[in-house]
Amino acid sequence: MAYKLYYWDGIPGRGEFVRLALEEAGADYVDVAREPDGQEGGTTAMLKLLMDGEGAAIPFAPPFLKDGDLLISHVANILFYLGPKLGLAPEEEDLRFVANGLQLTITDFVTEIHDTHHPIGVSLYHEDQKPEALRRSSDFLSERLPKFLGYFERVLRQNAKGAGHIVGDRLSYVDLSLFQLVEGLRYAFPKAMRSYEANIPRLIALHDAVAMRPNIRNYLASERRLSFNEAGIFRHYPELDQHS
Amino acid sequence: MAYKLYYWDGIPGRGEFVRLALEEAGADYVDVAREPDGQEGGTTAMLKLLMDGEGAAIPFAPPFLKDGDLLISHVANILFYLGPKLGLAPEEEDLRFVANGLQLTITDFVTEIHDTHHPIGVSLYHEDQKPEALRRSSDFLSERLPKFLGYFERVLRQNAKGAGHIVGDRLSYVDLSLFQLVEGLRYAFPKAMRSYEANIPRLIALHDAVAMRPNIRNYLASERRLSFNEAGIFRHYPELDQHS
């Protein structure tokens, strides 16, 4: 039976980290909110699930995944569940917790990236928090971006199995998420990334290797891949990018 | 062999969610950074691990847990790992992913609670972002606090096994984390919580039931339990609390 992925239509957002794993594995899945709108598909079907709930497994927010009767929420949790089934998790059980720790660091980083344009609140428009967004982005680019990207570079460098993958010696969903992180940051902060990328050669090489994988290449060229835009997590507001 | 927990000394912070699980289970653990300072203990030992790294399992930030050679970072990940070993996870495998989803919603909520006093950046002092903190806290109290707490209340209400526990019919680490959430929010925003708690009777009842458990009661009365203070996640700044 096909996996059912639920995420807002129109933005890559957090759902994209799950999509990349499903696409790389060639898994059978339905992107529910992008189906024709109604009881079984579209935003209507997603909101229905969020509003009515299914007992105690009701999710707080998209993305969430349905596999039969099981409803799983949060990107890292979905990927922890799917990873072994898709052949995208380490074989060794211990290493799966290492992978999950890395994915949760990506989660935190994504939240901070989102908050560069929404430092005061998600319930307000970006236009209502522009001065604060300028301050937060400046701190983000000088302190947080180097700290997070430098961390992933270091993990790659310290990987005893080589810098080709972030965990062990085979592709995992974390590698795919790092690809998306680099893509999103290049879209949102092109100047900052141009001046910083020389510091993270292993991470960029990993990004490039993921982009060359046949299933990923097909996916990126397909209509299923959504473009970044100013309604998502990674937004390009030139005034928030690096100035010098 | 004792578990080794690594977290900043002097604040309950994120480490407390792990401590509560270890304490409830009566597990053998060392709170490494609170040991005498040196190679084997104290902040020195924790920073040494963070700086030097242990191959590719190097954590991004505390808390992290060592179990033998395995190094696990992020609260939700540590609890997902420890839960079954401590008898604090659902027995059914599927429900463990439901528990993890709830714990990750707590993680997101904790980040938003932290950001009420640090909306611009963790690298700046609270004193350098006071006007922004006022704005963010106001949005937090009117929009986010009811949304998150109302969500947990609803999950309890929808639990087919009864509202005594957030997942299934037995105590899990998520229940313990919800206790800590209520404790922290009462400390940080006493006025807001006083006026909101009538809306979340099941969550408050769960909090009270956890507080009465013998191991938790002993722990709360011990020197091991750290007080909330203005260096942690839950901070009491009266000007950020509800005004009316």
Side-chain angles (χ1 to χ4, degrees), chain B residues 43-121:
Chain B
T43 305
T44 302
M46 182 171 80
L47 292 179
K48 188 169 175 292
L49 242 172
L50 271 174
M51 299 302 180
D52 297 353
E54 296 231 330
I58 178 82
F60 182 75
F64 47 93
L65 182 91
K66 266 199 89 159
D67 182 13
D69 287 336
L70 181 58
L71 194 63
I72 303 182
S73 61
H74 288 275
V75 169
N77 195 26
I78 296 169
L79 291 172
F80 198 65
Y81 174 79
L82 283 180
K85 297 179 198 296
L86 302 181
L88 289 171
E91 294 215 34
E92 207 188 315
E93 169 110 34
D94 277 4
L95 280 185
R96 292 186 183 170
F97 287 96
V98 174
N100 191 38
L102 288 163
Q103 191 67 39
L104 287 169
T105 302
I106 293 174
T107 301
D108 286 350
F109 193 21
V110 166
T111 297
E112 295 199 23
I113 292 164
H114 168 272
D115 285 0
T116 57
H117 50 78
H118 273 78
I120 299 302

Side-chain angles (χ1 to χ4, degrees), chain A residues 114-177:
Chain A
H114 167 272
D115 286 359
T116 57
H117 49 78
H118 272 78
I120 299 302
V122 285
S123 38
L124 303 168
Y125 291 110
H126 166 63
E127 287 64 32
D128 295 325
Q129 46 195 313
K130 288 179 86 167
E132 294 93 343
L134 267 179
R135 266 197 91 188
R136 174 131 191 172
S137 296
S138 162
D139 181 78
F140 172 81
L141 292 178
S142 64
E143 304 290 333
R144 306 301 287 171
L145 182 131
K147 179 158 178 165
F148 277 101
L149 293 182
Y151 167 75
F152 293 120
E153 179 72 13
R154 182 178 165 202
V155 174
L156 286 168
R157 195 177 63 233
Q158 293 187 186
N159 185 351
K161 299 287 176 63
H165 299 293
I166 194 89
V167 186
D169 59 1
R170 61 181 243 186
L171 185 78
S172 72
Y173 60 81
V174 190
D175 294 321
L176 303 176
S177 291

Side-chain angles (χ1 to χ4, degrees), chain A residues 51 55 58 123 139 154 158, chain B residues 51 55 123 139 151 154 158:
Chain A
M51 299 303 180
I58 178 84
S123 38
D139 181 78
R154 182 178 165 202
Q158 293 187 186
Chain B
M51 299 302 180
S123 38
D139 181 78
Y151 167 75
R154 180 179 168 203
Q158 293 188 186

Side-chain angles (χ1 to χ4, degrees), chain B residues 18-241:
Chain B
V18 181
R19 273 190 210 108
L20 282 166
L22 293 165
E23 292 283 348
E24 165 61 28
D28 188 14
Y29 78 102
V30 182
D31 207 338
V32 177
R34 297 177 67 194
E35 294 287 299
D37 206 55
Q39 288 299 305
E40 297 300 317
T43 305
T44 302
M46 182 171 80
L47 292 179
K48 188 169 175 292
L49 242 172
L50 271 174
M51 299 302 180
D52 297 353
E54 296 231 330
I58 178 82
F60 182 75
F64 47 93
L65 182 91
K66 266 199 89 159
D67 182 13
D69 287 336
L70 181 58
L71 194 63
I72 303 182
S73 61
H74 288 275
V75 169
N77 195 26
I78 296 169
L79 291 172
F80 198 65
Y81 174 79
L82 283 180
K85 297 179 198 296
L86 302 181
L88 289 171
E91 294 215 34
E92 207 188 315
E93 169 110 34
D94 277 4
L95 280 185
R96 292 186 183 170
F97 287 96
V98 174
N100 191 38
L102 288 163
Q103 191 67 39
L104 287 169
T105 302
I106 293 174
T107 301
D108 286 350
F109 193 21
V110 166
T111 297
E112 295 199 23
I113 292 164
H114 168 272
D115 285 0
T116 57
H117 50 78
H118 273 78
I120 299 302
V122 285
S123 38
L124 302 168
Y125 292 109
H126 167 63
E127 287 64 32
D128 296 326
Q129 45 195 313
K130 286 179 88 166
E132 295 92 343
L134 267 178
R135 267 197 91 188
R136 175 131 190 172
S137 296
S138 162
D139 181 78
F140 172 81
L141 292 178
S142 64
E143 304 289 333
R144 306 301 286 171
L145 182 130
K147 179 158 179 166
F148 277 101
L149 292 182
Y151 167 75
F152 293 119
E153 178 72 13
R154 180 179 168 203
V155 174
L156 285 168
R157 195 176 65 233
Q158 293 188 186
N159 185 352
K161 298 288 175 65
H165 299 292
I166 195 88
V167 186
D169 59 1
R170 61 182 244 187
L171 184 79
S172 73
Y173 61 80
V174 190
D175 293 321
L176 303 175
S177 291
L178 289 171
F179 159 81
Q180 179 65 6
L181 209 47
V182 170
E183 287 286 294
L185 287 169
R186 283 179 174 174
Y187 174 80
F189 304 105
K191 288 186 186 173
M193 283 299 277
R194 262 198 301 276
S195 69
Y196 189 72
E197 284 191 17
N199 300 301
I200 48 168
R202 293 167 191 83
L203 186 55
I204 297 302
L206 172 59
H207 163 275
D208 296 351
V210 168
M212 296 285 283
R213 298 185 67 84
N215 283 0
I216 295 296
R217 202 152 55 171
N218 284 342
Y219 168 60
L220 296 179
S222 77
E223 285 192 354
R224 300 191 300 287
R225 171 77 169 182
L226 290 158
S227 304
F228 293 110
N229 60 59
E230 281 58 57
I233 288 166
F234 298 98
R235 302 189 186 185
H236 179 52
Y237 295 123
E239 69 275 19
L240 300 186
D241 197 0

Side-chain angles (χ1 to χ4, degrees), chain A residues 7 11-19 62-63 75 107 110-111 114 233:
Chain A
Y7 192 66
I11 58 170
R14 290 183 168 87
E16 194 65 12
F17 296 101
V18 180
R19 272 189 210 109
V75 170
T107 301
V110 166
T111 297
H114 167 272
I233 288 166

